[in-house]
Amino acid sequence: MKMITNMEKLKTLLESRGLKPTFQRLTVLEYLEKHECHHPTAEMIYEALIARIPTISITTVYNTLSAFLEKGIISAETITGTEVRYDFAPVPHHHFLCTKCGKIYDVKIKCPLGNDMKNTIDGHHIHEIHGYFKGICRECSNKKSGKQK
Amino acid sequence: MKMITNMEKLKTLLESRGLKPTFQRLTVLEYLEKHECHHPTAEMIYEALIARIPTISITTVYNTLSAFLEKGIISAETITGTEVRYDFAPVPHHHFLCTKCGKIYDVKIKCPLGNDMKNTIDGHHIHEIHGYFKGICRECSNKKSGKQK
DNA sequence: GTTATTGCAAAATATTTGCATTATA
DNA sequence: TATAATGCAAATATTTTGCAATAAC
């Protein structure tokens, strides 16, 4: 029985969407998959990948992310309002931004925005549903109340 | 009985939030109130106001919008992903962006995101709830199916 | 070998900052 | 008059574009 590596799995994913599995694309996708909860910016991905691919350019990161978005492999979130955060998200979900520490959490809500909802609203045909929350996260709340050790 | 003009009403609103009612601020607020469904960018406001205040600067528009946001008079939406849209919105609501014509509609959904929801999620304390939809609007759908005259 | 991708440099866009001028209370 | 707001110029940050070099199939 043949072992299937993670890279081979990602390669197959790219090919199935009609994207050539270049080293740059595979590395960006692997980073997004491993760090999926970090919701990085293009710049963060670029900085992280320079160690592995010293010649990579920010243009390639943007090209790659655009291609992934177009094929629906990743999603883009504008939750912070200052830059786009990218998310490798096989399962649709919403987000929570902590206004204190800046961390973005995935949230799986029971009654998600759009659940038991028709695919139209006021006659408009819905293709995408985005929902996000802002506030103080669990961790920062605990720190505030002196619960951190 | 004394008539209360709209400008006087807006002046009172600014003063009640501790903001000096300068001509620039009143004019920006009046524009947002009258065009509240247009969800303009800072640039759109600036372009529109040059006719009335030829000396106004984009910096003042940004300063003004920041002050309004801080005082909760307006809200900011990042629905398009490329720039911030401002909204004078006395009643909280969600938004729909038409990916064809770019128009942003207000939507009052029956089961809004966060309705019948506690003020925490996964232990995170919620201060703001944002929800938006993307798709093809009523008008563009009609055009597509040949219903426009 | 042909076509698509990469990556550099420069441009475009959106927003912020420093500071002198001006207006407000 | 003291304080805050305005507006110009320049800076910063993010993203996009043109194009030549390179890599994939």
Side-chain angles (χ1 to χ4, degrees):
Chain A
M1 191 186 180
K2 197 169 174 291
M3 278 290 287
I4 296 167
T5 66
N6 196 46
M7 272 301 194
E8 280 168 336
K9 193 193 70 184
L10 298 178
K11 189 165 176 281
T12 305
L13 172 59
L14 291 185
E15 283 167 342
S16 74
R17 306 295 177 105
L19 292 175
K20 284 185 187 169
T22 64
F23 184 53
Q24 288 85 343
R25 284 174 176 171
L26 280 167
T27 312
V28 169
L29 187 55
E30 187 197 39
Y31 178 83
L32 280 167
E33 191 200 30
K34 281 193 183 161
H35 298 77
E36 65 176 275
C37 285
H38 288 187
H39 308 90
T41 61
E43 187 67 25
M44 286 170 184
I45 297 168
Y46 173 68
E47 293 297 336
L49 265 48
I50 278 184
R52 274 179 267 177
I53 314 172
T55 60
I56 202 169
S57 74
I58 190 73
T59 305
T60 297
V61 175
Y62 277 109
N63 285 343
T64 300
L65 293 169
S66 295
F68 290 179
L69 277 174
E70 207 172 299
K71 301 295 179 181
I73 295 169
I74 62 171
S75 66
E77 306 297 327
T78 54
I79 189 167
T80 65
T82 56
E83 82 290 287
V84 182
R85 300 302 199 98
Y86 297 92
D87 196 9
F88 178 71
V91 178
H93 56 263
H94 297 317
H95 295 96
F96 178 93
L97 170 69
C98 180
T99 52
K100 198 177 178 194
C101 68
K103 203 181 286 176
I104 297 169
Y105 297 82
D106 288 342
V107 291
K108 292 103 187 167
I109 55 179
K110 289 95 201 167
C111 168
L113 177 64
N115 203 2
D116 65 73
M117 186 179 286
K118 301 162 296 297
N119 62 350
T120 63
I121 191 162
D122 293 353
H124 310 309
H125 197 88
I126 296 168
H127 293 164
E128 285 177 45
I129 296 168
H130 295 255
Y132 61 89
F133 306 89
K134 293 187 186 181
I136 303 295
C137 77
R138 204 168 39 206
E139 246 178 81
C140 286
S141 298
N142 286 345
K143 275 178 198 157
K144 202 169 151 191
S145 57
K147 283 180 193 169
Q148 83 280 30
K149 67 153 192 298
Chain B
M1 193 185 177
K2 198 167 173 293
M3 278 291 286
I4 296 167
T5 66
N6 195 47
M7 273 300 195
E8 280 169 337
K9 193 193 69 185
L10 298 178
K11 189 164 176 281
T12 305
L13 171 59
L14 291 185
E15 283 168 340
S16 74
R17 307 295 176 106
L19 292 175
K20 286 184 186 169
T22 64
F23 183 53
Q24 287 84 344
R25 284 175 175 170
L26 280 167
T27 312
V28 169
L29 188 54
E30 187 197 39
Y31 178 84
L32 280 167
E33 192 201 30
K34 282 193 184 162
H35 299 78
E36 64 176 276
C37 285
H38 288 187
H39 307 92
T41 62
E43 187 67 25
M44 287 170 183
I45 297 167
Y46 173 67
E47 292 299 337
L49 265 49
I50 278 184
R52 273 179 268 177
I53 314 173
T55 60
I56 202 169
S57 75
I58 189 73
T59 305
T60 297
V61 175
Y62 277 110
N63 285 342
T64 299
L65 293 169
S66 295
F68 289 178
L69 277 173
E70 208 171 298
K71 300 296 180 179
I73 296 169
I74 62 171
S75 66
E77 306 297 326
T78 55
I79 189 167
T80 65
T82 55
E83 81 289 287
V84 181
R85 301 301 199 98
Y86 297 92
D87 196 9
F88 178 71
V91 178
H93 56 264
H94 297 318
H95 295 96
F96 178 92
L97 169 69
C98 180
T99 52
K100 198 177 177 196
C101 70
K103 203 181 286 176
I104 297 170
Y105 296 81
D106 288 342
V107 290
K108 293 103 186 166
I109 55 178
K110 290 95 200 166
C111 171
L113 175 65
N115 203 1
D116 66 73
M117 186 180 288
K118 300 162 296 298
N119 61 350
T120 62
I121 191 161
D122 294 351
H124 310 309
H125 196 87
I126 296 168
H127 292 164
E128 286 178 44
I129 296 167
H130 295 256
Y132 61 88
F133 305 89
K134 293 187 187 183
I136 303 294
C137 77
R138 203 168 40 205
E139 247 178 79
C140 286
S141 298
N142 287 346
K143 275 177 198 159
K144 203 169 152 192
S145 57
K147 284 182 191 168
Q148 82 281 28
K149 66 150 193 297

